[in-house]
Amino acid sequence: MAIALTGAGGFVGRHLSLSLTGRVGDVVSLARGVDPMPILRESNVMVHLAARVHIMNDASNDPLSAFREANVHATERLARQAAAAGVRRFVFVSSVKVNGEETRLGHPYKEIDTPSPQDAYGLSKWEAEQVLSNVALETGMEVVVVRPPLIYGPGVKANFALLMRAVQRGLPIPLGAIENARSFIGLDNFVDFIYCCMTHPAAANETFLVSDGHDVSSAQLVRELAAAAGVKPNLWSVPQWALELGAGMLGKRNAVQRLCGSLQVDISKAQTLLGWTPPVSMEEGLGRAVSKL
């Protein structure tokens, strides 16, 4: 099997490329500014990771247009080129943000739920999914859509990396009173699921939510990170209203809402239809992430 891959230089792409090389055949990266057709003609499967990602404090004058160009129009062009080249299956990495930003505790998102993206990034991913559905209908190329929550692992950056460093250094973290539940997926589990979507016959033209299958509160996440780092968690129990009040004064209310709110996904479809189970426990996955700090 030959695999064409976009986003090979990114956090997920680097790991996916290394994992798949030799396991299923050749993995060839599609680079910007290079005609993709020579590579696509030799490929059975296309995995599309590249995207304009969610950006905090986006400085673009028109973020939605920028997201649409990168995540919708470019995706459609690539998919149509792949179909024309004879690619059998197109795996598209979307986002849980297509479903929304927050769930009620104990009521995880499911694939059958009505999409409710709340920002330009989530909307662009939802529009890309719809475009790909049309391409599949028109060309017969199989399309698989994957909506992950936050992906962590060795080399993770942004807020998750900041949290890991804070835990490792024993800094006080005021999340001890937060009783929420959030889904995450470790890098190894996500790569394994992408492989399943590439190869399983039943994945064709389906959409999947995916996670470690082990939801945790923000306080539990801190405890598990501390255990992985071999340190004692320095959790302070601060009421949520006080956190939100302080964050509002600093212009960080949205960040606190993400830490305090729930965001769960139901992976039963992946388990039932594909027979997939996460091969790596969250404990082990966090250990691998912390070891690379």
Side-chain angles (χ1 to χ4, degrees):
M1 180 188 298
I3 302 104
L5 174 66
T6 68
F11 167 57
V12 175
R14 290 193 302 271
H15 193 79
L16 180 64
S17 183
L18 287 171
S19 176
L20 294 180
T21 298
R23 182 179 181 184
V24 295
D26 295 328
V27 179
V28 183
S29 173
L30 293 181
R32 291 180 182 177
V34 177
D35 182 6
M37 293 304 287
I39 294 173
L40 292 173
R41 289 192 187 99
E42 302 297 323
S43 302
N44 308 101
V45 177
M46 168 87 240
V47 180
H48 186 34
L49 291 170
R52 187 177 196 266
V53 299
H54 179 66
I55 303 170
M56 299 298 293
N57 303 317
D58 197 329
S60 172
N61 292 327
D62 188 356
L64 182 55
S65 292
F67 277 116
R68 279 178 169 152
E69 176 54 38
N71 298 346
V72 184
H73 306 319
T75 296
E76 180 177 13
R77 288 193 295 270
L78 181 61
R80 292 195 179 278
Q81 288 174 314
V87 171
R88 176 179 57 83
R89 180 171 292 187
F90 190 100
V91 179
F92 177 62
V93 177
S94 184
S95 170
V96 71
K97 281 178 167 286
V98 168
N99 288 82
E101 296 289 336
E102 189 172 344
T103 56
R104 287 187 296 131
L105 185 63
H107 292 78
Y109 285 132
K110 299 181 179 181
E111 291 87 352
I112 61 172
D113 292 339
T114 301
S116 183
Q118 301 296 306
D119 62 12
Y121 171 72
L123 180 59
S124 71
K125 284 292 191 177
W126 170 227
E127 291 178 352
E129 290 184 20
Q130 296 174 84
V131 162
L132 288 174
S133 179
N134 291 335
V135 173
L137 287 172
E138 294 169 14
T139 67
M141 181 176 67
E142 298 171 354
V143 169
V144 187
V145 172
V146 184
R147 296 177 186 164
L150 189 150
I151 304 167
Y152 66 89
V156 67
K157 300 186 184 301
N159 289 336
F160 202 92
L162 292 175
L163 179 62
M164 287 196 300
R165 291 190 182 95
V167 170
Q168 193 175 50
R169 294 168 183 169
L171 299 179
I173 300 175
L175 299 175
I178 304 304
E179 298 179 354
N180 61 347
R182 300 189 71 87
S183 298
F184 300 90
I185 185 162
L187 188 55
D188 291 301
N189 286 339
F190 188 60
V191 165
D192 187 78
F193 187 70
I194 292 296
Y195 172 74
C196 187
C197 289
M198 290 167 48
T199 57
H200 200 297
N205 301 315
E206 297 286 352
T207 296
F208 297 99
L209 290 161
V210 63
S211 78
D212 285 336
H214 175 62
D215 298 344
V216 293
S217 69
S218 294
Q220 287 173 310
L221 177 62
V222 169
R223 294 187 187 99
E224 295 201 18
L225 284 170
V231 300
K232 184 177 180 180
N234 190 3
L235 273 168
W236 292 13
S237 292
V238 178
Q240 184 171 335
W241 65 264
L243 290 174
E244 291 178 349
L245 178 63
M249 296 174 65
L250 297 173
K252 301 290 185 180
R253 182 178 296 275
N254 288 341
V256 168
Q257 287 175 335
R258 283 192 294 273
L259 284 170
C260 297
S262 293
L263 198 162
Q264 298 173 269
V265 301
D266 184 339
I267 66 170
S268 59
K269 179 179 176 180
Q271 293 173 312
T272 302
L273 187 62
L274 306 182
W276 183 80
T277 55
V280 177
S281 69
M282 189 177 202
E283 177 184 6
E284 185 177 354
L286 290 174
R288 293 177 184 180
V290 169
S291 69
K292 297 299 183 180
L293 274 178

